[in-house]
Amino acid sequence: MKIFIYFVLVPIIVVNLNSLAQINPGFVANYPFNESANNGNGNNFTNSLEPDSIVLSGEINGNRFGYSVSTAGDVNGDGFSDVIVGDYQYQGYKGRAYIFYGGLSVDTVADIIMTGESGNNRFGLSVASAGDLNGDGYSDVIVGAPNNDGANDIAGRAYIYFGGVEMDGVVDKTLYGQESYDNFGYSVSTAGDVNNDGYSDVIVGAFQYHNVQGYVFIYYGGASMDSVKDVTFLWIRFNQFGESVSTAEMLMEMDFQM
């Protein structure tokens, strides 16, 4: 599995349905089933657009490196955008996510590696920038693990990692699903600053909740951000509400409680 980064004259985003990122500037294309090593994971790809493009590759054949990709914002504050790539099948579906720093000279070595808690968590199935949740001037990231069964319930979890000059792969905040088989964390995204307090917020979807009714939670950022949901959105049954989430230019003031 490979990720292809293209350097172009102007920033371009959104490639292959579920990917976006820009580095210095450019865009990322994900091919999670690439078979360039003849491992039977997908189609070969020949880069005919830019000869100096960068290819990011997974660690092990047969994994799903590149299933999810996103801009990470500027997590280390060096003035260059970074990218985050998920591989939910790593090591028995424990999953991993990788951050690659941008720069004048971008390499193919992951700078930050984040790993799921245990097998079958599918950590990294969703990845996204979280904006600057704690107001420290660095971008943060959020990673979903919709099959996490820490309580043997597969409720799902989402993990927040704060950026910084010396960012690490240690979880800073953990967000939890509510009921068995919620698949909480199937979708994650920055929500922008929905309450206009100067801190970015995050949004997480759980489309399997209550007979596929689904729900979406918003968590407010802050200098001392917690793991308690601040806003809940629900919909009628069998609609898979929350299968995808994203920030919007404007969000109406709503306060639906579960």
Side-chain angles (χ1 to χ4, degrees):
M1 288 68 66
K2 297 181 182 294
I3 295 290
F4 299 84
I5 298 178
Y6 299 91
F7 296 102
V8 292
L9 294 178
V10 295
I12 300 177
I13 62 173
V14 185
V15 179
N16 200 31
L17 297 183
N18 62 347
S19 61
L20 63 89
Q22 61 180 59
I23 296 185
N24 190 33
F27 67 85
V28 171
N30 60 326
Y31 294 82
F33 307 103
N34 183 277
E35 62 172 8
S36 59
N38 296 317
N39 53 27
N41 293 319
N43 297 320
N44 287 311
F45 179 84
T46 302
N47 172 22
S48 59
L49 184 62
E50 281 291 336
D52 60 347
S53 299
I54 290 176
V55 178
L56 310 177
S57 300
E59 295 183 73
I60 303 171
N61 289 344
N63 282 1
R64 294 295 178 260
F65 177 86
Y67 182 86
S68 56
V69 299
S70 174
T71 178
D74 182 7
V75 297
N76 60 341
D78 63 355
F80 295 95
S81 294
D82 312 310
V83 295
I84 182 169
V85 181
D87 177 3
Y88 72 89
Q89 194 171 324
Y90 172 82
Q91 202 174 78
Y93 292 93
K94 176 186 286 187
R96 268 189 170 175
Y98 307 79
I99 292 177
F100 298 85
Y101 292 160
L104 291 175
S105 179
V106 180
D107 60 39
T108 60
V109 179
D111 295 283
I112 304 292
I113 297 177
M114 299 150 283
T115 306
E117 294 185 77
S118 58
N120 203 40
N121 279 190
R122 284 175 165 78
F123 176 92
L125 189 139
S126 57
V127 298
S129 170
D132 184 5
L133 291 166
N134 57 349
D136 63 355
Y138 299 94
S139 294
D140 311 313
V141 297
I142 183 169
V143 181
N147 277 43
N148 182 283
D149 59 352
N152 298 315
D153 58 3
I154 315 182
R157 294 181 180 178
Y159 304 86
I160 291 171
Y161 300 82
F162 294 148
V165 175
E166 297 181 358
M167 183 182 182
D168 56 35
V170 179
V171 178
D172 292 290
K173 295 292 177 182
T174 302
L175 313 178
Y176 300 89
Q178 301 298 291
E179 296 185 3
S180 299
Y181 302 100
D182 277 1
N183 277 133
F184 176 85
Y186 187 88
S187 55
V188 297
S189 176
T190 177
D193 182 8
V194 299
N195 59 340
N196 199 33
D197 65 352
Y199 297 94
S200 294
D201 312 310
V202 290
I203 184 169
V204 182
F207 76 95
Q208 291 273 34
Y209 166 77
H210 199 48
N211 293 324
V212 204
Q213 173 180 348
Y215 65 73
V216 169
F217 289 160
I218 290 178
Y219 299 81
Y220 294 157
S224 300
M225 181 184 179
D226 57 36
S227 300
V228 180
K229 64 183 183 293
D230 295 287
V231 180
T232 301
F233 299 95
L234 292 172
W235 199 241
I236 58 178
R237 292 187 181 183
F238 311 119
N239 276 270
Q240 295 182 301
F241 182 73
E243 187 169 12
S244 60
V245 296
S246 178
T247 186
E249 187 68 23
M250 181 180 294
L251 182 66
M252 293 177 63
E253 185 176 350
M254 305 177 77
D255 191 20
F256 296 117
Q257 296 299 320
M258 183 178 293

